[in-house]
């Protein structure tokens, strides 16, 4: 109980994932801990995302996927990625074709050497999801699959 009230969430604790889950719940963000040890977020954010702790690198990774329709051309995908890069955003996109359906992989990481302030974590997560949702505005030819 005392960990959930602290100012910092530390990633070196074995109970870090349940703490993140409680922090998200307190901020009205639906989440669940997945078998892969990542936290999947849902309602309460602009776009679905996942959170994973990398204890070796001492980084917290926020990541998400935007799936692309099969009939999309490379130049259309490149244009969306370029427009996202030109925008002031914390989201970095890359095209993934080698594992399952083609998609844009988005990620952002935060260091957690001495913990992560909870407010910073929540603001960063909200900004990441907001910036990711904005990618759909660059899709003039409807090649991205809309989130359901």
């Amino acid at each position: 109980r005392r960990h959930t009230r602290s100012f910092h969430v530390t990633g070196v604790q074995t109970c870090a994932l349940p703490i993140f889950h409680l922090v998200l719940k307190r901020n009205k963000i639906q989440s669940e801990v997945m078998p892969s040890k990542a936290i999947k977020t849902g309602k309460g954010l602009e776009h679905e995302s996942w959170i994973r702790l990398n204890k070796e690198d001492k980084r917290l990774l926020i990541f998400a996927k935007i799936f692309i329709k099969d009939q999309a051309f490379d130049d259309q995908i490149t244009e969306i990625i370029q427009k996202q890069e030109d925008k002031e955003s914390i989201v970095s996109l890359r095209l993934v074709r080698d594992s399952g359906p083609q998609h844009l992989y988005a990620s952002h990481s935060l260091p957690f050497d001495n913990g992560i302030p909870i407010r910073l974590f929540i603001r960063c997560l909200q900004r990441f999801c907001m910036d990711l949702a904005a990618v759909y505005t660059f899709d003039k030819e409807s090649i991205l699959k809309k989130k359901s």
Side-chain angles (χ1 to χ4, degrees):
R1 179 104 177 122
R2 68 183 169 84
H3 293 293
T4 61
R5 294 182 181 264
S6 70
F7 181 68
H8 287 83
V9 174
T10 61
V12 292
Q13 301 164 330
T14 57
C15 58
L17 288 176
I19 290 171
F20 277 116
H21 182 67
L22 290 171
V23 166
L24 292 168
K25 186 176 180 179
R26 180 173 281 167
N27 285 277
K28 296 178 177 41
I29 299 170
Q30 182 183 7
S31 66
E32 65 180 292
V33 179
M34 305 302 287
S36 66
K37 303 289 188 240
I39 296 176
K40 179 182 176 187
T41 65
K43 289 183 180 177
L45 294 170
E46 300 260 343
H47 197 281
E48 181 178 82
S49 63
W50 287 263
I51 303 160
R52 179 172 290 139
L53 295 174
N54 184 331
K55 293 179 184 176
E56 292 80 39
D57 295 340
K58 295 191 176 190
R59 300 197 71 76
L60 178 130
L61 178 66
I62 303 169
F63 60 99
K65 296 177 182 178
I66 297 177
F67 290 95
I68 303 168
K69 293 179 182 174
D70 293 334
Q71 69 270 23
F73 295 108
D74 286 351
D75 60 331
Q76 295 170 316
I77 298 167
T78 303
E79 182 181 351
I80 290 172
I81 293 171
Q82 186 60 50
K83 285 181 179 179
Q84 177 63 24
E85 287 175 358
D86 293 345
K87 184 180 178 237
E88 188 175 316
S89 172
I90 65 170
V91 172
S92 65
L93 293 175
R94 69 180 166 86
L95 178 61
V96 177
R97 287 193 167 126
D98 57 357
S99 59
Q102 68 177 346
H103 61 274
L104 294 174
Y105 176 83
S107 65
H108 182 73
S109 67
L110 294 168
F112 66 82
D113 285 334
N114 298 315
I116 298 171
I118 291 172
R119 288 184 183 146
L120 172 66
F121 164 68
I122 294 296
R123 284 185 188 138
C124 185
L125 179 62
Q126 290 170 332
R127 170 80 190 269
F128 176 85
C129 292
M130 211 167 53
D131 287 356
L132 190 61
V135 170
Y136 291 93
T137 63
F138 304 134
D139 183 19
K140 303 300 181 205
E141 299 179 42
S142 299
I143 62 167
L144 302 178
K145 292 182 181 178
K146 302 290 185 213
K147 56 188 185 228
S148 48

